[in-house]
Amino acid sequence: MRLALHLVSLLVGASALRAPSSFRLDRRRALQTLGAASLLNGVPLSALADATEFELVVQQAALLDGLASAPVRNVIVTGASSGVGLAGAKLLTAAGHQVTLACRTQAKADAAVKACNAFAASSSSAGPTGLADFYSQRRAGGTARGAACDLSSLSSIRSFAKSVSGEKLDTLVLNAGLSLDATDKTRKATEDGFELTVGTNHLGHFALASLLRPTLAKGSSPRLLVTGSGVHDPATEGGKQGGPEKWAALGDLKGFAEQGAQFSMVDGGTFDPDKAYKDSKLCNLLFMAEASRRYTGDKIGVNAFSPGLIADPKGFFRNQNPLFANAFYGITQKLGVGETNDFAGSALAYLAVDPALNGKTGGWYDALPLGKHSLAKHAASVEAQDTAKAKRLWELSEKLVA
């Protein structure tokens, strides 16, 4: 592994010299990123040493086995135009479920629907992104439809929520997300003025979940699923990447509390795209925990999961230095530590429809053990378990999206 990482670090260093100045990576930062990511982007060291740390481990086969036999569910998936969201939507459609693909634009949604229908109609056993001998089950009756829902626009979110509020909804999957170029320190904003990363990954989903809560509560064994990441936890190697100043930490929520919609960082600090992403994932876990408490009366199960390290240069890593992203993707796959969109889609689909999740709430399911294509339930970070902070984040988020 050390030799492989050394080769990649050399490649990144050489590539940075050839890249335009706007895409150059600081060599020290690149090596830190590779080093942390080589330790698998957020895997607890204790989990690597002792699998008994996990409350539950669900193997890949079990993630897929019940999709086509589970009671048909009506599912909304945000961020379903590519990556994990599209892979999960394909599997759900093929397994006979009714899926609404909420994408940033109608054009993206229409293309995703076409891909889902083609996968459902296929007799191939390949996975949703082409992995051989992955999924062959099909159940007639599955449907996919697309709709525009831009999570960086409250008006788009409200319009989408209004369009589906009178329909049956059993599972809402809050999957859309973005991670900005880690070398670009310029604050970017949503349509409503929020910092783009937290505004999309947390506040956009918070608004959507709030608007659809009454509809979801009427569903069959209703559940809410949030796509998170292990980097929310600074006790993990991925979470430690970049040093303490870049760790996920919301402080006293000064940014939200004092700066309102113009916040740059949740804790009130100077904008940093790397920390902003980690903070947004911590917000996701705090939201999940608080929703699991607040939604008890509606009998809505609320859980979160990590799809694992998927360094897809055409997907989640699309905003990063392309030379670095391609090199990093290759090495994670060669070392067998990176996950695939096929696996991540199966994890999303399982948590969205499998009867085993009926009544389950407040769970954090991580893509562990490493490289084993399985989900492991274990405790989230210390800060993600802070009930007072979760409550305060909820209250401030309500004010921002009102």
Side-chain angles (χ1 to χ4, degrees):
M1 181 180 285
R2 290 194 181 98
L3 175 60
L5 289 169
H6 177 65
L7 292 173
V8 174
S9 69
L10 292 176
L11 175 59
V12 172
S15 298
L17 295 176
R18 297 194 298 270
S21 59
S22 61
F23 285 103
R24 287 179 188 166
L25 281 176
D26 173 80
R27 180 176 175 80
R28 180 171 176 271
R29 174 179 174 75
L31 290 172
Q32 286 177 332
T33 302
L34 281 167
S38 73
L39 290 173
L40 309 171
N41 197 30
V43 177
L45 296 181
S46 60
L48 285 174
D50 184 2
T52 62
E53 295 281 336
F54 304 140
E55 296 177 43
L56 172 73
V57 176
V58 185
Q59 303 296 338
Q60 173 71 87
L63 297 177
L64 294 167
D65 281 351
L67 296 184
S69 60
V72 173
R73 295 180 69 84
N74 296 269
V75 183
I76 291 176
V77 182
T78 69
S81 64
S82 63
V84 178
L86 179 56
K90 285 181 175 181
L91 288 167
L92 289 170
T93 305
H97 300 279
Q98 315 301 305
V99 189
T100 298
L101 290 74
C103 305
R104 186 161 52 87
T105 67
Q106 188 62 51
K108 288 180 177 291
D110 292 342
V113 167
K114 184 177 180 180
C116 286
N117 288 334
F119 181 76
S122 171
S123 59
S124 170
S125 63
T129 59
L131 192 63
D133 299 321
F134 188 81
Y135 189 70
S136 60
Q137 298 181 51
R138 296 294 186 274
R139 177 167 55 176
T143 64
R145 65 168 185 167
C149 182
D150 184 348
L151 274 298
S152 68
S153 164
L154 289 178
S155 63
S156 177
I157 293 166
R158 290 167 183 149
S159 178
F160 170 73
K162 183 178 180 180
S163 73
V164 299
S165 61
E167 301 175 359
K168 184 171 173 55
L169 175 60
D170 304 310
T171 302
L172 174 60
V173 182
L174 305 179
N175 168 74
L178 60 82
S179 175
L180 300 176
D181 181 354
T183 66
D184 187 350
K185 305 298 183 181
T186 304
R187 179 188 184 275
K188 295 178 175 60
T190 69
E191 180 180 286
D192 304 281
F194 308 141
E195 186 281 310
L196 184 59
T197 309
V198 172
T200 301
N201 297 359
H202 167 60
L203 290 172
H205 279 139
F206 180 90
L208 181 61
S210 298
L211 290 167
L212 290 181
R213 178 180 175 180
T215 301
L216 183 60
K218 298 175 184 176
S220 176
S221 298
R223 62 183 74 168
L224 177 65
L225 177 63
V226 183
T227 300
S229 170
V231 300
H232 83 277
D233 187 353
T236 67
E237 293 304 320
K240 291 177 183 175
Q241 185 273 320
E245 69 277 6
K246 296 182 184 295
W247 292 355
L250 306 185
D252 59 2
L253 308 174
K254 186 177 180 180
F256 276 17
E258 298 184 6
Q259 298 168 9
Q262 300 306 311
F263 72 90
S264 290
M265 300 294 289
V266 181
D267 65 1
T270 303
F271 176 69
D272 181 275
D274 188 4
K275 177 172 166 55
Y277 175 72
K278 292 173 183 173
D279 284 352
S280 77
K281 295 293 101 178
L282 176 54
C283 287
N284 288 160
L285 268 291
L286 286 165
F287 163 74
M288 180 276 289
E290 184 66 9
S292 71
R293 291 184 283 269
R294 291 179 181 247
Y295 289 9
T296 300
D298 294 323
K299 298 183 179 179
I300 298 173
V302 188
N303 297 284
F305 84 108
S306 169
L309 176 58
I310 307 175
D312 183 357
K314 295 181 180 179
F316 187 68
F317 271 40
R318 64 188 178 277
N319 292 320
Q320 306 305 321
N321 180 316
L323 298 168
F324 167 76
N326 279 287
F328 186 37
Y329 178 73
I331 200 64
T332 59
Q333 295 303 310
K334 289 290 186 182
L335 292 175
V337 298
E339 274 303 346
T340 66
N341 283 318
D342 293 276
F343 161 76
S346 71
L348 182 156
Y350 168 82
L351 292 167
V353 304
D354 197 284
L357 273 293
N358 287 346
K360 299 294 193 299
T361 196
W364 167 233
Y365 298 82
D366 211 345
L368 295 173
L370 298 175
K372 300 299 183 183
H373 315 304
S374 58
L375 277 181
K377 182 182 179 185
H378 66 95
S381 74
V382 172
E383 189 167 352
Q385 298 178 62
D386 185 332
T387 56
K389 183 165 291 186
K391 181 175 183 291
R392 181 62 172 154
L393 176 66
W394 188 285
E395 294 168 346
L396 291 171
S397 297
E398 278 186 322
K399 292 180 180 179
L400 287 172
V401 304

